[in-house]
Short mmCIF file of all heavy atoms in Angstrom, two decimals:
data_model
loop_
_atom_site.label_atom_id
_atom_site.label_comp_id
_atom_site.label_asym_id
_atom_site.label_seq_id
_atom_site.Cartn_x
_atom_site.Cartn_y
_atom_site.Cartn_z
N PRO F 38 -0.86 -39.03 -75.20
CA PRO F 38 -1.26 -39.13 -76.57
C PRO F 38 -1.16 -40.58 -77.13
O PRO F 38 -0.17 -41.26 -76.91
CB PRO F 38 -0.28 -38.28 -77.32
CG PRO F 38 0.20 -37.29 -76.22
CD PRO F 38 0.22 -38.01 -74.98
N GLY F 39 -2.26 -41.06 -77.69
CA GLY F 39 -2.21 -42.43 -78.26
C GLY F 39 -2.36 -43.55 -77.28
O GLY F 39 -2.19 -44.72 -77.67
N GLU F 40 -2.53 -43.24 -75.99
CA GLU F 40 -2.64 -44.30 -74.96
C GLU F 40 -3.84 -45.13 -75.14
O GLU F 40 -4.91 -44.75 -75.51
CB GLU F 40 -2.69 -43.62 -73.56
CG GLU F 40 -2.67 -44.58 -72.46
CD GLU F 40 -2.61 -43.98 -71.10
OE1 GLU F 40 -2.82 -42.70 -70.96
OE2 GLU F 40 -2.47 -44.68 -70.08
N THR F 41 -3.65 -46.42 -74.89
CA THR F 41 -4.75 -47.40 -74.80
C THR F 41 -4.60 -48.23 -73.49
O THR F 41 -3.50 -48.50 -73.01
CB THR F 41 -4.76 -48.34 -76.03
OG1 THR F 41 -3.55 -49.13 -75.98
CG2 THR F 41 -4.92 -47.55 -77.34
N ILE F 42 -5.70 -48.65 -73.00
CA ILE F 42 -5.78 -49.60 -71.89
C ILE F 42 -6.74 -50.75 -72.18
O ILE F 42 -7.86 -50.49 -72.55
CB ILE F 42 -6.26 -48.84 -70.58
CG1 ILE F 42 -5.27 -47.74 -70.18
CG2 ILE F 42 -6.40 -49.85 -69.42
CD1 ILE F 42 -5.76 -46.90 -69.04
N LEU F 43 -6.20 -51.94 -72.07
CA LEU F 43 -7.00 -53.16 -72.41
C LEU F 43 -7.54 -53.05 -73.78
O LEU F 43 -8.65 -53.51 -74.09
CB LEU F 43 -8.17 -53.34 -71.40
CG LEU F 43 -7.76 -53.47 -69.97
CD1 LEU F 43 -8.94 -53.49 -68.99
CD2 LEU F 43 -6.94 -54.78 -69.73
N GLY F 44 -6.81 -52.38 -74.70
CA GLY F 44 -7.24 -52.26 -76.07
C GLY F 44 -8.25 -51.11 -76.29
O GLY F 44 -8.74 -50.94 -77.43
N CYS F 45 -8.56 -50.35 -75.23
CA CYS F 45 -9.58 -49.26 -75.29
C CYS F 45 -8.86 -47.90 -75.36
O CYS F 45 -7.83 -47.75 -74.66
CB CYS F 45 -10.46 -49.32 -74.10
SG CYS F 45 -11.32 -50.83 -73.87
N LYS F 46 -9.38 -47.05 -76.16
CA LYS F 46 -8.78 -45.67 -76.29
C LYS F 46 -8.91 -44.92 -74.99
O LYS F 46 -9.82 -45.02 -74.23
CB LYS F 46 -9.54 -45.01 -77.37
CG LYS F 46 -9.05 -43.56 -77.78
CD LYS F 46 -9.87 -43.02 -78.90
CE LYS F 46 -9.47 -41.53 -79.26
NZ LYS F 46 -10.24 -41.04 -80.39
N VAL F 47 -7.89 -44.03 -74.79
CA VAL F 47 -7.94 -43.10 -73.60
C VAL F 47 -7.81 -41.68 -74.07
O VAL F 47 -6.94 -41.30 -74.86
CB VAL F 47 -6.74 -43.39 -72.63
CG1 VAL F 47 -6.94 -42.55 -71.32
CG2 VAL F 47 -6.70 -44.92 -72.24
N VAL F 48 -8.76 -40.80 -73.63
CA VAL F 48 -8.74 -39.43 -74.05
C VAL F 48 -8.66 -38.49 -72.84
O VAL F 48 -9.03 -38.93 -71.68
CB VAL F 48 -9.96 -39.01 -74.93
CG1 VAL F 48 -10.07 -39.86 -76.18
CG2 VAL F 48 -11.25 -39.15 -74.05
N LYS F 49 -8.14 -37.31 -72.99
CA LYS F 49 -8.07 -36.38 -71.86
C LYS F 49 -9.42 -35.83 -71.39
O LYS F 49 -9.64 -35.61 -70.23
CB LYS F 49 -7.16 -35.21 -72.21
CG LYS F 49 -5.69 -35.51 -72.17
CD LYS F 49 -4.85 -34.27 -72.47
CE LYS F 49 -3.32 -34.50 -72.23
NZ LYS F 49 -3.03 -34.71 -70.77
#
Side-chain angles (χ1 to χ4, degrees):
E40 183 178 8
T41 63
I42 296 174
L43 301 174
C45 303
K46 184 179 179 180
V47 186
V48 300
K49 281 184 172 291

